[in-house]
Amino acid sequence: MAVFRCRTCGKEGTWVYDPERFTCPLCDSIDVQFIISRDEVPEGDPLLNATKDNENSTPSKEAEE
């Protein structure tokens, strides 16, 4: 189960991870935070690829300046 906390409705709880949903499961607000266990994320999900890309990337010179 994933955990969520919504700043709009003030509710928090658990829900089943849905890679297509980026809003609060209760009020549909976009002002929500999710905590998703790595085992909840299915193989091939872009969320896993983004994590791997960030771990392997090095900052560019422009970002350092």
Side-chain angles (χ1 to χ4, degrees):
M1 298 298 284
V3 179
F4 75 92
R5 178 176 47 200
C6 180
R7 293 180 180 174
T8 302
C9 69
K11 305 288 184 183
E12 56 185 63
T14 58
W15 65 291
V16 176
Y17 174 68
D18 177 359
E20 301 295 318
R21 182 172 198 131
F22 301 101
T23 59
C24 174
L26 301 176
C27 73
D28 216 28
S29 169
I30 61 169
D31 195 10
V32 65
Q33 297 173 318
F34 296 107
I35 300 173
I36 305 167
S37 169
R38 194 173 189 98
D39 352 341
E40 289 267 335
V41 182
E43 282 298 318
D45 188 284
L47 185 60
L48 286 178
N49 294 338
T51 304
K52 289 177 185 174
D53 290 344
N54 288 339
E55 290 173 357
N56 296 330
S57 67
T58 56
S60 67
K61 288 187 177 186
E62 290 176 5
E64 292 174 2
E65 294 173 0

